[in-house]
Amino acid sequence: MAGERKQQILETLAKMLETPKREKITTASLAARLNVSEAALYRHFAGKAQMFGGLIEFIEQTLFGLINKITSEETEGMKQAQRIVTILLLFAEKNPGMTRVLIGDALVNEDDALQTRINQLFDRIESTLKQSLRIAETQTGRELQPEAKANLMLCFVVGRWQQFAKSGFKRKPMEFVQQQLGLLVN
């Protein structure tokens, strides 16, 4: 039961982050949305930072579960990189509240360790893209500049996430993705 309540709290927090108005989410507003007292929230989480940490953990597990599946199934390096970029954009489109966590919007005025964790997530993604591009370089015999291209791909993804969140979730991350990926990988 406690695990279910914890999950419900995180899902409600993520849902509240989906409102385009960007109002500050307080433990009081979260508790009100759940029809519980603030004390009930603190039985499951030490504070709001721990709640955001739970959302980041969900993001990490989901994204790296998908990325690992791609890298184990797809042998062609360039296709790996393209699929990784696509899955990152799809994840954001399906999880607008999580997108605000990923771009740091929801973490303003929260514990700095949360942003550090997001930065580490970005580093891991970039490293994975770099590895896929190194594989592609070996497979094609072309000089692809894996470090520069992996960084460009990550910047593209983060930019699309930003545009999605800042547009009030109107500009979809997957818009033009096939054409733009073609430009990115050549």
Side-chain angles (χ1 to χ4, degrees):
M1 187 70 177
E4 286 175 27
R5 176 57 83 169
K6 203 171 185 174
Q7 185 65 31
Q8 184 184 26
I9 293 167
L10 292 177
E11 286 172 7
T12 303
L13 176 58
K15 230 0 165 197
M16 290 174 76
L17 288 169
E18 290 179 12
T19 58
K21 290 186 290 268
R22 296 195 208 326
E23 56 204 40
K24 185 168 168 47
I25 296 173
T26 62
T27 51
S29 64
L30 180 59
R33 180 73 69 92
L34 286 160
N35 293 319
V36 298
S37 67
E38 281 185 79
L41 295 178
Y42 291 115
R43 279 195 282 278
H44 301 283
F45 295 97
K48 206 163 55 160
Q50 196 177 53
M51 292 175 207
F52 279 112
L55 292 180
I56 293 170
E57 187 175 327
F58 168 80
I59 291 167
E60 290 169 335
Q61 288 175 352
T62 303
L63 289 180
F64 286 105
L66 294 167
I67 288 169
N68 291 338
K69 188 174 185 326
I70 290 167
T71 57
S72 66
E73 290 175 355
E74 180 60 63
T75 56
E76 200 177 311
M78 193 55 79
K79 284 189 180 166
Q80 277 182 12
Q82 289 174 319
R83 286 181 60 194
I84 290 168
V85 167
T86 302
I87 206 71
L88 294 169
L89 297 174
L90 270 172
F91 176 83
E93 198 164 301
K94 291 182 176 176
N95 300 282
M98 300 298 186
T99 305
R100 289 193 52 214
V101 174
L102 282 164
I103 66 167
D105 230 26
L107 304 178
V108 174
N109 301 322
E110 299 298 335
D111 188 333
D112 289 340
L114 295 169
Q115 187 58 58
T116 299
R117 197 162 158 194
I118 291 293
N119 294 344
Q120 290 168 342
L121 174 105
F122 288 175
D123 291 344
R124 283 179 63 198
I125 291 169
E126 186 173 354
S127 184
T128 304
L129 287 167
K130 200 181 312 175
Q131 185 59 38
S132 295
L133 293 166
R134 283 191 182 119
I135 292 167
E137 199 171 50
T138 303
Q139 291 170 333
T140 64
R142 288 178 39 218
E143 170 61 44
L144 296 174
Q145 301 178 16
E147 291 81 10
K149 196 164 283 217
N151 181 260
L152 178 62
M153 289 176 151
L154 179 64
C155 289
F156 169 75
V157 168
V158 173
R160 294 309 303 260
W161 287 345
Q162 281 274 20
Q163 186 178 46
F164 182 48
K166 300 297 183 186
S167 72
F169 309 118
K170 288 176 181 57
R171 294 291 308 268
K172 302 293 182 202
M174 291 297 293
E175 180 182 32
F176 307 120
V177 77
Q178 290 313 313
Q179 301 94 312
Q180 291 172 339
L181 270 177
L183 295 169
L184 271 178
V185 297
N186 290 322

